[in-house]
Amino acid sequence: MKKYLLPGLIVTILLQLLVPSYKIYVKYDILRTGDVYYFRVNPVDPYDAFRGRYVYLYAPLDVGRYGKYGLITVDADGFARVTELSDEKPAAGPYVKSERDGWFAMPISVYYMDEHLAPRAETYVRQRNVEEETYVSVRIKEGELVVSGLFVNGVPIEEIVKDGFS
């Protein structure tokens, strides 16, 4: 019994390291090799003791709510949007997989920032002009999506709040 204790402990430790490492690698691979799309969003900046500082992003949908996959089209302005939902994985064209089961929810929900810049971004987001165009850049690969940037009128939010704003 004791001769299995050390190998069992080593296997357990390796599994605890490999599972998160694999998840990080998958996100990194999407950021490195995924296709870039831009989605308009409505940002709100809450604070969560467990998740830290982040900007909550709401991407409005013009389609129904039921379907596992959202087919993406890019409009004349260069912004992507989900135009059709399907329960079947699309054979062709860009698509994104829902972050929920049973109904479609865009997997654009949070954008993490430097904890020192996040309070300024929160203030900026609350005071921003409604006419400002806010969007995210995302990378998509095989239906998986990773948010890579948050922009207001074409300028990264970090640059806007880095030295303050007026």
Side-chain angles (χ1 to χ4, degrees):
M1 179 77 163
K2 287 186 178 182
K3 66 180 180 177
Y4 297 113
L5 188 60
L6 184 59
L9 181 63
I10 290 171
V11 167
T12 302
I13 290 170
L14 286 174
L15 283 175
Q16 288 180 347
L17 292 173
L18 288 176
V19 170
S21 297
Y22 176 74
K23 288 184 176 195
I24 290 169
Y25 172 76
V26 168
K27 298 292 184 184
Y28 172 74
D29 184 53
I30 293 169
L31 282 171
R32 192 172 48 85
T33 62
D35 297 324
V36 178
Y37 293 91
Y38 299 98
F39 285 89
R40 288 186 174 98
V41 293
N42 298 321
V44 179
D45 192 13
Y47 174 75
D48 185 321
F50 295 104
R51 291 196 260 182
R53 288 282 184 188
Y54 64 95
V55 178
Y56 175 78
L57 304 170
Y58 170 69
L61 288 175
D62 297 332
V63 293
R65 287 281 178 202
Y66 299 102
K68 186 174 183 177
Y69 299 95
L71 279 71
I72 297 171
T73 58
V74 178
D75 64 20
D77 295 332
F79 289 99
R81 59 190 181 96
V82 173
T83 55
E84 186 181 333
L85 298 178
S86 171
D87 286 329
E88 302 295 323
K89 184 176 175 180
Y95 67 94
V96 63
K97 195 168 22 171
S98 176
E99 68 177 3
R100 303 218 188 278
D101 287 331
W103 55 279
F104 188 81
M106 277 295 286
I108 299 173
S109 57
V110 295
Y111 177 67
Y112 292 97
M113 320 184 45
D114 180 288
E115 66 181 287
H116 301 293
L117 296 179
R120 290 186 210 162
E122 177 180 2
T123 303
Y124 181 80
V125 165
R126 288 186 184 172
Q127 295 175 356
R128 75 186 175 92
N129 185 339
V130 177
E131 295 173 5
E132 291 179 321
E133 188 170 59
T134 307
Y135 61 93
V136 290
S137 63
V138 300
R139 297 280 185 145
I140 299 175
K141 182 177 181 181
E142 298 174 9
E144 297 295 325
L145 179 147
V146 176
V147 177
S148 57
L150 174 61
F151 299 85
V152 178
N153 289 337
V155 180
I157 189 75
E158 292 85 358
E159 285 185 28
I160 294 171
V161 300
K162 181 173 56 174
D163 298 320
F165 54 90
S166 50

